[in-house]
Amino acid sequence: MSRDHVKGAVAAPAPADDADAPFLELLARGAAAEAYDRPVLLARAEGVSGERIAALEHARLLALRVRTELEGRRRREAELSALFETAHDLAGLRDADAVLRAIVQRARSLLGTDVAYLSLNDPARGDTYMRVTEGSVAARFQQLRLGMGEGLGGLVAQTARPYVTDDYFRDDRFRHTATIDAGVRDEGLVAILGVPLTLGPNVIGVLFAADRRARVFEREQIALLGSFAALAAAALDTADLLTETRSALAGLERANEIIRDRSAVIERASDVHDRLTELVLRGGGVHDVAAAVSQVLGSAVEFTECAPADAVEASRAQGHAVRHEDDWIAAVAAGGELLGALVLRGRPGLDPVDQLTLERAATVTSLLLLARRSAAEAEQRVRGELLDDLLDARDRDPRLLRERAARLHADLDAPHVVLAARLDAATPETAGPETAGPERAGPDAEQEAAARRRLWSAASHLAATRHGLAAARDGGTVLLLSLEPGDTATQLARRTALQLGAAVRATVTVGASAPVHGLTAGPDAVAAAYEEGRRCLDALRLLGRSGDGSAAEDFGFLGLLLAGDRDVAGFVDRTIGRVVAYDEQRGTDLLRTLDAYFASGMSPARTKDELHVHVNTVAQRLERVRRLLGDDWQRPARALEVQLALRLHRLALPARN
């Protein structure tokens, strides 16, 4: 800058030629105002002439004035740029909230305040609420709702003029309320500037800028915030117009959609008819029907046996689908029997054509269920007939039996277990005086027969899933199931009792045979296994273990009496096999010690005399036996089994030698 431009602005003596140089350099660097004192201080420290110092002082004042002017221009340039950017956002308005957030962010940045926020009037509730906040840290402040005329914002809204306070809590020009003051206190605000958002003569909200310390807002800052408020009002007005336009377009689109839907309904009805016909012809299931109807109706459809009972009963009584909350339910029935329901999910509004579609699908589903039931009953009869032949027809050709089993995916050469299952209900043998007599031929007998049919049906289903066989026999049910590797007959019997009990919702007791290999090898193999299973079943009921499942191996020495093949070696191995193996591997005398211990009345003192060893040796051997057989090996019932196994083991020794 030449001296001519500032000539007369500041009266000063003629400066030296180079007095401006250091200040021009500071201006070029954009240095802080404090840095402009340094050249004068250095000159004084160096003791330069008074004329030189006066020239430097004059140059400093001019430089500071130029700096202030440049900062003002830069600030105005930034403000104009922000206003232009906001106007550009407004011109391409897509999201009113995004534009309002940008306005609040730019207002806070340009005014250099801690917080900026925008509140809007809510005509429906008669108050104002926070729409956008920037820099706020207090949740209560962000959720404030102000009554009309309350707080600084109420004063701005009432007068439609900007208002500023440099100390909010000491300013009594507006009405303070406990709620507003608490929110302002949480946020820590002190100085607040508010300008109105106006549309025509109406104030629709207030734009605020606030600091957490005392501050004086300049006129230019108030004007800038007013410009942002005008743009915010324009953004809201534009958004309202866009909303109205979109609403009108949406109305037209809905009308057009109704027209299209009416024509599409007819096409869907035809499509459903074709799809359901194709499903029936190619042997589809009920879930295929539900999936096809789901595609046509555009909502989830499922077949269930657990639909709300009142809605299902209403649908069956009326012969139409009925609405239940947000769903539609169509009963699936055949004659007087209820088979389930088709449920259309999440479609509270259903036009008559789609309702008819759902009802047709329910009819097709009932036909498919009846067909499936007939096929299942036929397969159950075939499985039952094959098992009856294995039990009774001892002169049948084994090859033909294998072929019949193969068609049912059963392998008669694999290990199988024969299981006898019976409901835990009163029978002629166990009925008391109150259940015996002619009256049992009435309703009780019918209920018992129905329970047996349910047991047979559940057993047949279980046998089909396990590639086995099932038949009704002797007032109960007999099953032939394969034994998987690692499984035992007792484990299979217990699982079967639990599964059948859960299926018929009653107590079912199951007795199992020992595993049978090669069912067709011996003519009496299956029949003998069935008799063994029945003996185990009777033993369980006599022992009060109804609802359980077991095999002969589970009854200890009683299993020798129950088992058809009298598996002595298996009993010995299950009872004292670990002791036998321990003696054989280590050369110890645990078996001889056990014999002497029981022969001596289970007295360690007499046992040591019998064995001619120290009593501590007897104690150590008995402790080893406890570890091998378990803590309960000396209990009376278990001790009896151990003694019997010891005797059977001794009897078998000569044969082994």
Side-chain angles (χ1 to χ4, degrees):
M1 177 181 290
S2 67
R3 298 177 184 272
D4 295 338
H5 288 103
V6 295
K7 192 173 182 178
V10 178
D17 293 339
D18 58 349
D20 295 341
F23 299 105
L24 291 174
E25 183 179 351
L26 291 173
L27 285 171
R29 291 207 319 259
E34 295 79 6
Y36 288 80
D37 293 334
R38 189 172 299 168
V40 178
L41 294 174
L42 287 175
R44 287 176 177 167
E46 293 172 359
V48 299
S49 65
E51 182 181 358
R52 173 65 175 172
I53 291 175
L56 289 172
E57 284 282 3
H58 178 69
R60 183 179 70 85
L61 292 175
L62 290 176
L64 287 173
R65 181 171 294 180
V66 171
R67 180 181 178 278
T68 301
E69 182 67 23
L70 290 175
E71 285 185 347
R73 291 185 179 183
R74 280 196 294 269
R75 185 173 62 254
R76 286 192 293 274
E77 181 181 349
E79 293 170 354
L80 288 173
S81 177
L83 291 173
F84 282 134
E85 290 176 1
T86 304
H88 181 269
D89 292 344
L90 184 57
L93 178 65
R94 293 295 181 270
D95 183 354
D97 284 334
V99 175
L100 293 177
R101 282 195 297 271
I103 289 173
V104 174
Q105 290 169 358
R106 289 165 185 163
R108 180 191 175 208
S109 174
L110 291 175
L111 269 66
T113 56
D114 296 322
V115 182
Y117 52 100
L118 185 147
S119 67
L120 293 180
N121 295 350
D122 186 348
R125 296 182 54 170
D127 61 2
T128 64
Y129 66 96
M130 293 291 188
R131 177 72 174 264
V132 182
T133 63
E134 177 69 21
S136 172
V137 296
R140 180 156 55 174
F141 180 80
Q142 297 166 13
Q143 297 168 5
L144 273 180
R145 297 191 73 97
L146 291 70
M148 294 296 186
E150 295 178 352
L152 179 63
L155 183 61
V156 174
Q158 278 184 335
T159 62
R161 294 175 55 191
Y163 270 89
V164 62
T165 178
D166 56 0
D167 192 337
Y168 176 85
F169 292 102
R170 294 184 179 180
D171 198 331
D172 57 1
R173 292 176 298 167
F174 46 85
R175 180 153 58 96
H176 289 264
T177 67
T179 302
I180 300 174
D181 286 357
V184 174
R185 187 173 290 106
D186 284 356
E187 194 63 56
L189 301 181
V190 177
I192 305 176
L193 165 63
V195 296
L197 276 67
T198 58
L199 284 177
N202 301 319
V203 177
I204 63 171
V206 180
L207 178 61
F208 297 90
D211 258 342
R212 296 188 175 93
R213 62 187 184 282
R215 168 177 177 169
V216 176
F217 288 95
E218 299 175 359
R219 183 172 300 176
E220 292 82 359
Q221 294 173 325
I222 298 174
L224 176 62
L225 193 63
S227 298
F228 278 120
L231 290 174
L236 291 169
D237 188 37
T238 303
D240 289 342
L241 292 175
L242 286 174
T243 300
E244 292 176 2
T245 303
R246 289 168 181 164
S247 178
L249 289 174
L252 293 174
E253 289 178 359
R254 283 194 297 271
N256 193 29
E257 286 175 0
I258 292 173
I259 296 173
R260 288 199 304 267
D261 287 344
R262 290 304 176 187
S263 61
V265 159
I266 300 175
E267 295 179 5
R268 286 204 307 272
S270 176
D271 185 27
V272 168
H273 181 271
D274 294 342
R275 291 191 183 200
L276 295 181
T277 302
E278 181 185 359
L279 281 174
V280 172
L281 292 177
R282 64 180 176 84
V286 294
H287 297 294
D288 296 324
V289 173
V293 178
S294 296
Q295 292 180 356
V296 173
L297 299 183
S299 295
V301 176
E302 63 178 13
F303 173 76
T304 179
E305 298 177 357
C306 302
D310 54 346
V312 175
E313 187 59 36
S315 175
R316 181 169 66 167
Q318 299 174 17
H320 297 290
V322 298
R323 179 179 170 182
H324 179 75
E325 296 179 355
D326 289 340
D327 303 334
W328 281 81
I329 296 176
V332 176
E337 183 180 4
L338 183 64
L339 305 176
L342 280 184
V343 181
L344 175 64
R345 301 289 187 188
R347 282 281 296 275
L350 193 66
D351 61 52
V353 176
D354 286 345
Q355 181 179 344
L356 181 60
T357 297
L358 184 63
E359 294 164 359
R360 288 177 177 173
T363 302
V364 173
T365 301
S366 64
L367 294 175
L368 290 176
L369 287 174
L370 289 176
R372 187 175 66 179
R373 176 189 292 180
S374 299
E377 290 175 351
E379 182 178 344
Q380 289 173 0
R381 285 194 298 272
V382 172
R383 290 181 183 274
E385 290 169 358
L386 175 57
L387 183 53
D388 285 336
D389 287 347
L390 287 170
L391 288 167
D392 301 330
R394 300 171 183 174
D395 56 347
R396 290 294 180 97
D397 185 350
R399 181 180 59 82
L400 294 178
L401 292 174
R402 288 193 187 93
E403 290 178 356
R404 290 169 60 188
R407 286 194 291 270
L408 298 172
H409 306 288
D411 182 7
L412 297 184
D413 293 323
H416 282 73
V417 174
V418 179
L419 303 108
R422 185 172 297 171
L423 286 166
D424 185 23
T427 64
E429 295 81 6
T430 61
E434 68 278 3
T435 58
E439 62 271 22
R440 283 186 51 80
D444 289 345
E446 294 178 1
Q447 292 178 2
E448 185 176 335
R452 289 177 178 176
R453 286 194 297 271
R454 289 197 302 272
L455 177 62
W456 172 73
S457 178
S460 299
H461 177 72
L462 177 62
T465 59
R466 292 286 307 275
H467 305 302
L469 306 174
R473 201 173 188 87
D474 299 325
T477 301
V478 57
L479 298 93
L480 181 68
L481 300 179
S482 61
L483 189 65
E484 300 296 333
D487 206 356
T488 66
T490 296
Q491 292 171 344
L492 180 59
R494 288 174 178 167
R495 284 200 307 273
T496 303
L498 290 174
Q499 291 169 344
L500 293 179
V504 300
R505 299 181 181 179
T507 301
V508 177
T509 308
V510 176
S513 71
V516 182
H517 301 268
L519 296 175
T520 59
D524 297 328
V526 179
Y530 173 57
E531 292 302 324
E532 179 180 336
R534 284 192 63 190
R535 287 194 294 271
C536 289
L537 171 63
D538 293 338
L540 284 172
R541 301 180 71 184
L542 289 172
L543 293 173
R545 292 172 58 184
S546 295
D548 198 0
S550 187
E553 63 186 23
D554 193 40
F555 288 94
F557 74 91
L558 290 177
L560 295 176
L561 305 177
L562 298 174
D565 57 358
R566 304 293 190 269
D567 184 13
V568 174
F571 170 73
V572 171
D573 184 64
R574 289 192 300 273
T575 308
I576 61 171
R578 298 187 66 184
V579 178
V580 173
Y582 191 89
D583 276 356
E584 292 176 351
Q585 294 171 3
R586 293 171 173 79
T588 54
D589 285 328
L590 298 183
L591 288 174
R592 192 162 68 91
T593 301
L594 280 174
D595 278 330
Y597 180 66
F598 286 118
S600 302
M602 301 177 72
S603 168
R606 290 198 293 272
T607 303
K608 62 99 175 173
D609 295 335
E610 176 73 18
L611 297 176
H612 305 292
V613 296
H614 195 274
V615 68
N616 289 343
T617 302
V618 174
Q620 292 172 359
R621 291 178 181 179
L622 293 179
E623 173 61 20
R624 174 59 61 184
V625 170
R626 183 190 68 78
R627 294 181 181 178
L628 293 171
L629 299 185
D631 294 336
D632 64 340
W633 74 276
Q634 296 193 69
R635 293 178 59 183
R638 184 81 187 280
L640 178 60
E641 293 183 0
V642 173
Q643 293 179 68
L644 179 59
L646 287 170
R647 294 196 177 194
L648 293 173
H649 179 69
R650 285 200 306 272
L651 292 174
L653 286 178
R656 292 179 181 177
N657 295 332

